[in-house]
């Protein structure tokens, strides 16, 4: 056991003692926090009614956050400390906590829960874990599936510090690889475009017309000649609510395993005054072909409607993806993101998505899609901001959508009926594909301001037709009828791609999730937009040497070509009859904090098709948590073997197989011959290491 456990002066490496309460450990990063000056939260000991909360003498009750059993209060800034002291002294209050914001990102409020996630090194035993956590007043609640030696702990009443300070103490211990508080942020309210009405589904198929460029649709009619989808392929649409009484969601076996995490029941219906974003998304992907209304991209497939809590804490994300995976979802479509400018995923959130993407569908993996977002900003990058309403954002600003950049996610951008970039569509190197949607000015939702437009304002006309889809039955919703053409954003592009993925799996259910992603990318249409972006003046509408565009990913989805490609891969996998491979024992230093990294090659001359694959790697590094490892196939297809989850380990001798890392399935059926490369990147300054050797073994 580490002697420091018995010391009262435990401080985090690299974190000054005075800053322990203002550094958030999150997704392998240390984010600087600032306290919000006019609000705080409390957790009542017992249930307190809204009336009682509104009568509290420590501030003005603003709202409750049921997911964390918190109540939010506002006060005049000079009264914050006094109000929190009064609240803490009350016999009805378990604890009171500051509300935080990430520095230079004032638009997203962060609320603390009483949970901490800790990943211990593999050699740490139960007795040591108990000694460490007892010192900090933590109570073990549960383990985290698929993450070895990783547990969720509750902060007890005996704890003398808040979860942020505790995790900063813990991360300094050699026994601890990761320590993160479970925080809550608002889910971003959904984009509501303001386009004129167009009563037709041009995005499925069209033959030209007003504001319709040649080939701006997804060619679904020809794909329907092959399949219109089968009920065994289930698409989980995760959203705010669903009008399951709509005629286009009726049919034997259409609805599978509905879930409402907001009301904790199994009827994810909209509230009386709610505009149901989920109803519109589900219609685009799956509306039933029944002779009335509309048809979804995959009308024969089943719908799993999942209503979110509206908050994006660890448990909410785990609940969503575990439910979808365990209840048989083939595809998980998410047209939402965090109400935050910079939002890396936590360890548990990353693991929940990876778990569904690799273990769902009996090990073949759920196909997971996320909308890129509608702010016309990078999903991972920086922009100099000015002119925003109330100066809510200004100066050089880092943007990050942790969901969209997750390696197991298909990030979807939006194109228009004119085959141009949608003005609002977020962009970047992590975009996978794009799909048709409407066109409108870019904007996003913040808790403090509501929906606002990003700046600078676009002065030119915005052209393009809107999306036609299902709406709530009757007067509620976007439109007084049962349908709306007032829908769009990457929110509608994403279920288009989800529907195409459903058609792919309808003709070839044996494909892995990674193979589906590869098919979508390799069969996409290379639409080109050489015009400068009307807001930022950027020109990212062409493709690099790898066939990738920051605006369109690998192109606009083509349903016909995708289904045809899936058919061609519909072969029974035969066991490998022999093995070939090679080794590279040239020791190479890994450059520190260098995104170019190092590449080490192995040449294979046999052109037989690959039926099995394994990669063995030997790396020494002062802090392996800085390192990412990729395998690059001869066709330049990139596979992430190891992300930054190794923490304080210094030696890596690992073998990655199809069984242990299903992501490798996407390389099966490729010709073996060519130049294979191992790409190792150190993403953080300070610690250094070297690639000692690696080995590639292919079954053919």
């Amino acid at each position: 056991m580490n002697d420091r456990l018995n010391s009262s002066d435990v401080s985090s490496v690299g974190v000054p003692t005075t800053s322990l309460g203002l550094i958030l450990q999150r997704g392998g990063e240390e984010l600087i926090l600032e306290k919000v000056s006019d609000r705080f939260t409390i957790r009542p000991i017992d249930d307190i009614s809204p009336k009682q909360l509104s009568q509290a003498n420590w501030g003005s009750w603003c709202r409750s956050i049921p997911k964390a059993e918190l109540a939010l209060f506002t006060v005049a800034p000079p009264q914050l400390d006094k109000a929190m002291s009064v609240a803490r002294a009350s016999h009805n209050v378990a604890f009171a906590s500051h509300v935080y914001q990430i520095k230079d990102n004032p638009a997203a409020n962060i609320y603390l829960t009483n949970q901490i996630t800790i990943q211990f090194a593999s050699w740490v035993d139960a007795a040591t874990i108990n000694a460490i956590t007892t010192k900090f007043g933590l109570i073990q609640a549960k383990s985290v599936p698929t993450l070895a030696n990783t547990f969720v702990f509750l902060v007890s009443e005996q704890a003398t510090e808040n979860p942020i300070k505790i995790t900063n103490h813990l991360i300094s211990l050699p026994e601890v690889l990761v320590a993160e508080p479970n925080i809550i942020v608002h889910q971003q309210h959904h984009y509501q475009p303001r386009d004129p009405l167009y009563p037709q589904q041009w995005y499925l198929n069209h033959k030209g017309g007003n504001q319709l460029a040649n080939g701006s649709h997804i060619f679904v009619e020809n794909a329907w000649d092959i399949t219109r989808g089968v009920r065994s392929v289930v698409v989980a649409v995760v959203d705010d609510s669903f009008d399951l009484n709509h005629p286009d969601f009726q049919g034997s076996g259409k609805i599978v395993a509905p879930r409402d995490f907001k009301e904790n029941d199994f009827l994810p219906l909209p509230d009386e005054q709610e505009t149901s974003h989920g109803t519109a998304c589900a219609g685009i992907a799956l509306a039933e072909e029944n002779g009335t209304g509309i048809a979804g991209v995959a009308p024969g497939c089943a719908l799993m409607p999942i209503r979110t809590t509206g908050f994006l804490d660890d448990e909410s994300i785990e609940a969503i993806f575990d439910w979808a995976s365990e209840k048989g979802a083939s595809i998980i479509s998410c047209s939402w993101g965090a109400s935050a400018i910079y939002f890396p995923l936590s360890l548990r959130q990353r693991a929940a998505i990876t778990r569904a993407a690799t273990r769902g569908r009996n090990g073949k993996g759920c196909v997971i899609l996320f909308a890129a977002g509608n702010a016309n900003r990078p999903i991972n990058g920086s922009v100099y901001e000015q002119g925003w309403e109330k100066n809510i954002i200004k100066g050089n600003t880092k943007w990050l959508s942790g969901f969209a950049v997750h390696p197991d996610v298909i990030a979807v951008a939006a194109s228009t009926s004119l085959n141009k970039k949608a003005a609002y569509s977020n962009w970047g190197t992590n975009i996978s594909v794009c799909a048709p949607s409407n066109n409108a000015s870019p904007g996003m939702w913040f808790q403090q301001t509501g929906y606002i437009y990003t700046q600078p304002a676009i002065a030119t006309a915005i052209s393009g037709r809107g999306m036609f889809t299902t709406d709530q039955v009757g007067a509620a919703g976007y439109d007084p009828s049962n349908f709306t053409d007032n829908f769009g954003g990457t929110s509608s592009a994403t279920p288009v791609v989800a529907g195409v993925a459903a058609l792919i799996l309808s003709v070839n259910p044996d494909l892995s999730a990674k193979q589906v992603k590869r098919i979508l990318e390799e069969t996409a249409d290379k639409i080109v937009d050489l015009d400068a972006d009307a807001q930022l003046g950027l020109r990212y509408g062409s493709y690099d040497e790898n066939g990738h565009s920051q605006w369109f990913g690998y192109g606009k989805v083509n349903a016909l070509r995708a289904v045809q490609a899936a058919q061609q891969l519909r072969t029974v996998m035969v066991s490998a009859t022999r093995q070939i491979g090679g080794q590279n024992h040239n020791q190479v230093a890994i450059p520190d904090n260098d995104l170019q990294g190092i590449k080490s090659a192995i040449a294979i001359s046999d052109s037989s098709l690959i039926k099995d694959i394994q990669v063995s790697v030997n790396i020494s590094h002062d802090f392996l948590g800085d390192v990412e490892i990729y395998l690059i196939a001869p066709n330049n297809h990139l596979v992430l073997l190891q992300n930054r989850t190794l923490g304080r380990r210094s030696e890596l001798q690992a073998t990655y197989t199809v069984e242990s890392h299903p992501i490798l399935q996407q390389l099966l059926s490729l010709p073996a011959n060519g130049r294979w490369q191992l790409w190792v990147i150190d993403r953080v300054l300070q610690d250094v290491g070297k690639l000692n050797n690696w080995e590639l073994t292919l079954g053919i």
Side-chain angles (χ1 to χ4, degrees), residues 122-152:
S122 59
W123 50 266
V124 181
D125 58 24
T128 305
I129 290 173
N130 184 62
I132 292 173
T133 55
T134 298
K135 175 177 178 59
F136 291 102
L138 305 180
I139 302 170
Q140 184 171 324
K142 61 181 179 180
S143 60
V144 179
T146 71
L147 293 179
N149 232 16
T150 306
F151 308 93
V152 179

Side-chain angles (χ1 to χ4, degrees), residues 73 236 358 455 554:
F73 286 84
T358 56
Q455 296 300 317
Y554 290 94

